[in-house]
Amino acid sequence: MAKVSTSFFCKNCGASSAKWVGKCSSCGEWNTYVEEVIQKEKTDYKKTWKKESHSLSVLKPVLLKEVEQGSEERYPVKDIELSRVLGGGIVPGSVILIGGEPGIGKSTLMLQIALQFTDKKVLYISGEESDTQIKMRAERLPFRNDQCYLFTEVSTQKIGKALQELQPDIVVVDSIQTLQSELIDSTPGSISQIKETAGDLIRFAKETGTPVFLIGHITKDGTLAGPKLLEHMVDTVLQFEGDRHHVYRILRTTKNRFGSTSEIGIYEMQGSGLREVSNPSEILISQRDEALSGVAISATIEGMRPLLIETQALVSTAVYGTPQRNSNGYDTKRLNMLLAILEKKCGLRMGMQDVFVNIAGGLRVEDPGIDLGVVAAIVSSYHNVSVDSKIAFIGEVGLSGEIRAVSRIEQRISEAEKLGFTSIYLSKFNKIPKGKSSINIVEVSKLEDFLNYLFG
Ligand code: TYD
Ligand code: MG
């Protein structure tokens, strides 16, 4: 029996070391080394599909100007949301990693994408579910693809063989953490296994020009499980996120070698799979008959898309000594800052109040342009006075209570106009061409004036 050998790997960058070290010499992170069993069979290369199948062609340095551009032909994707997130279709030979918490719908999304490629041979490799389980899921989806193959296997050597025989046009792997290379002894999901198996698949993708989707798990702290290295190795990293108790899911790019990273795709989880949401504003604004206090609408931008979202706030007298500040979908530090500004500049006594802020629909917003809407919701709840539901807010709030200009203001205004808002509050410093839109534009420059104007 071969001797068991172990090595230490950095969880952050994947560097290895013969002995444990406190600080990684490669990436400088502390306490990231873990021990793993390796043991490579150095001689038996017959077992590896990467070495036997593709003899490495001899490459020479070439002049950049002589490289043929090649019309960058992307595979069109029927799913408009995914297509937008990828930057307009799939680039041949690209490797796309999709991360997300368990149960968020990664397998559902990928299966339905696979089924939508009706003119392509798709291989769906699953190490997590059986054929019948996948079939059951496929039955719920409204798509059919007669050329979709299933393969429930975890060994990359066997997968490699199947890939050579089948020669699919698109490959989906669910999930990278379940794959196992026979050349390495450590358990599936360990750093060395992920490195090796992902490496094999990436090599396959680059050599054959086949796009490969890898599904990845998320650890408790919200990062993709496995070495950060995995994110460096692939071309595109997508995050599938959302609140499991809400029906909306957001597909976000965090890395994209072939497109912008500011795009998002929105889906709604239904009984029959994920539905693309093409007009998100309509669903993010809750339907209500009467005006409620503590609710305000902001016009934000996600990627290239304007989006009207609803902020809800609840301000109530603190029953315990330390008031609570809690926010869902909005940065808590920013919330604390806004409360301090309200206290200092506008004379509102926030120090004794519990404040809860929630962005409707389980959305997480990073655009500082929603500050003004958050303030409006908080103050509305504080005074228990409702804000007219036909008013939208745009503006970043600065530390001295000034209302700052935001980007893409025209797009935001026209979206609000389209959705039937009658008034919009925005920063005076956003230069708006006068008389262009029918919506009533109210320009404000200081938080104090804004609150006086709105709440009298
Ligand atoms: P799944 O794709 O298995 O999540 P993941 O692969 O990210 O772990 O989907 C999980 C949830 O989606 C599951 O709780 C049930 C729900 N679901 C629907 O609501 N409708 C559907 O049509 C399908 C297939 C799943
Ligand atoms: Mg799954």
Side-chain angles (χ1 to χ4, degrees):
M1 218 184 93
K3 201 169 136 262
V4 173
S5 69
T6 63
S7 186
F8 292 85
F9 290 91
C10 170
K11 278 190 287 185
N12 190 42
C13 69
S16 65
S17 158
K19 57 183 190 342
W20 190 85
V21 282
K23 184 184 179 187
C24 176
S25 56
S26 162
C27 66
E29 288 289 314
W30 286 89
N31 226 356
T32 52
Y33 271 76
V34 287
E35 185 175 17
E36 279 181 13
V37 181
I38 38 168
Q39 186 216 321
K40 285 203 180 189
E41 292 172 46
K42 292 214 170 61
T43 47
D44 194 5
Y45 270 124
K46 287 212 180 62
K47 270 192 174 175
T48 100
W49 48 286
K50 62 187 186 207
K51 298 288 186 306
E52 66 180 329
S53 60
H54 307 284
S55 58
L56 284 173
S57 51
V58 185
L59 293 174
K60 280 186 294 199
V62 286
L63 275 170
L64 178 61
K65 64 171 186 183
E66 282 171 9
V67 176
E68 275 182 46
Q69 192 171 7
S71 54
E72 193 200 282
E73 237 180 67
R74 294 183 181 230
Y75 290 20
V77 183
K78 288 204 184 112
D79 188 299
I80 298 164
E81 302 296 303
L82 179 74
S83 180
R84 177 177 332 100
V85 168
L86 291 177
I90 304 175
V91 175
S94 62
V95 179
I96 300 152
L97 178 65
I98 298 197
E101 285 178 20
I104 204 80
K106 302 179 294 297
S107 306
T108 308
L109 178 70
M110 283 328 299
L111 185 62
Q112 84 179 50
I113 301 284
L115 294 179
Q116 284 180 64
F117 282 108
T118 40
D119 54 344
K120 297 249 184 311
K121 208 194 282 179
V122 188
L123 178 60
Y124 189 98
I125 300 165
S126 179
E128 304 203 333
E129 288 156 309
S130 67
D131 291 344
T132 38
Q133 280 173 318
I134 301 171
K135 173 79 180 168
M136 268 162 64
R137 170 172 302 144
E139 287 296 312
R140 297 172 69 174
L141 305 175
F143 308 101
R144 291 285 165 273
N145 182 356
D146 295 336
Q147 289 205 79
C148 182
Y149 292 82
L150 294 184
F151 192 36
T152 40
E153 179 57 65
V154 292
S155 151
T156 44
Q157 278 69 27
K158 289 187 185 137
I159 289 172
K161 226 172 242 145
L163 288 174
Q164 273 171 37
E165 275 162 26
L166 191 66
Q167 302 201 336
D169 299 314
I170 292 174
V171 179
V172 177
V173 177
D174 187 4
S175 64
I176 186 71
Q177 276 87 359
T178 55
L179 295 194
Q180 196 166 17
S181 168
E182 286 166 16
L183 302 180
I184 295 185
D185 258 356
S186 58
T187 51
S190 64
I191 294 170
S192 40
Q193 280 289 7
I194 291 179
K195 236 167 102 173
E196 184 75 14
T197 53
D200 280 348
L201 286 162
I202 291 169
R203 215 167 299 122
F204 162 78
K206 301 295 168 208
E207 281 170 2
T208 60
T210 314
V212 175
F213 285 92
L214 303 176
I215 292 179
H217 293 170
I218 290 260
T219 56
K220 261 195 226 123
D221 54 359
T223 52
L224 270 159
K228 205 81 190 138
L229 193 76
L230 184 57
E231 288 175 54
H232 290 298
M233 286 161 86
V234 300
D235 299 304
T236 304
V237 181
L238 305 178
Q239 288 275 12
F240 203 38
E241 55 187 42
D243 194 328
R244 234 184 317 156
H245 307 292
H246 279 88
V247 290
Y248 300 112
R249 303 279 186 274
I250 295 179
L251 192 61
R252 222 181 260 280
T253 358
T254 52
K255 163 180 175 179
N256 193 356
R257 288 193 181 142
F258 312 112
S260 137
T261 54
S262 56
E263 289 301 343
I264 63 161
I266 303 184
Y267 294 90
E268 182 182 351
M269 181 58 100
Q270 295 183 331
S272 55
L274 291 152
R275 183 182 71 90
E276 301 160 44
V277 176
S278 45
N279 189 1
S281 297
E282 274 170 19
I283 51 153
L284 292 173
I285 299 171
S286 61
Q287 276 79 44
R288 53 200 151 109
D289 304 333
E290 51 194 311
L292 302 170
S293 69
V295 177
I297 313 284
S298 304
T300 176
I301 293 266
E302 275 286 356
M304 304 296 278
R305 280 205 287 184
L307 205 66
L308 276 115
I309 53 154
E310 182 177 300
T311 312
Q312 303 162 343
L314 177 69
V315 178
S316 72
T317 316
V319 269
Y320 302 109
T322 320
Q324 299 184 59
R325 270 79 214 268
N326 218 323
S327 97
N328 268 331
Y330 183 72
D331 186 13
T332 316
K333 279 192 207 128
R334 252 196 120 67
L335 171 64
N336 282 326
M337 186 197 84
L338 291 181
L339 294 175
I341 298 169
L342 284 174
E343 176 112 28
K344 177 108 185 172
K345 298 282 170 188
C346 311
L348 300 186
R349 310 217 15 195
M350 289 296 175
M352 300 305 297
Q353 309 284 342
D354 285 341
V355 180
F356 305 93
V357 167
N358 180 38
I359 306 286
L363 218 66
R364 183 167 57 82
V365 184
E366 268 149 29
D367 171 28
I370 74 161
D371 286 355
L372 202 61
V374 174
V375 168
I378 292 172
V379 178
S380 157
S381 173
Y382 179 86
H383 289 313
N384 212 5
V385 175
S386 65
V387 176
D388 186 344
S389 61
K390 289 284 167 220
I391 303 179
F393 301 92
I394 312 171
E396 180 183 345
V397 176
L399 275 183
S400 50
E402 80 276 19
I403 295 164
R404 309 171 65 101
V406 296
S407 61
R408 296 172 194 269
I409 191 77
E410 273 126 14
Q411 249 177 304
R412 299 180 197 235
I413 295 175
S414 70
E415 178 76 5
E417 206 178 337
K418 214 163 61 191
L419 290 171
F421 284 82
T422 53
S423 283
I424 194 157
Y425 281 67
L426 44 84
S427 167
K428 185 170 110 184
F429 306 105
N430 265 122
K431 301 274 177 283
I432 315 289
K434 285 267 170 326
K436 248 182 97 180
S437 43
S438 60
I439 197 165
N440 175 30
I441 292 175
V442 186
E443 293 183 339
V444 281
S445 60
K446 271 166 57 193
L447 206 53
E448 255 176 291
D449 301 344
F450 163 68
L451 294 180
N452 283 338
Y453 204 91
L454 194 62
F455 297 102

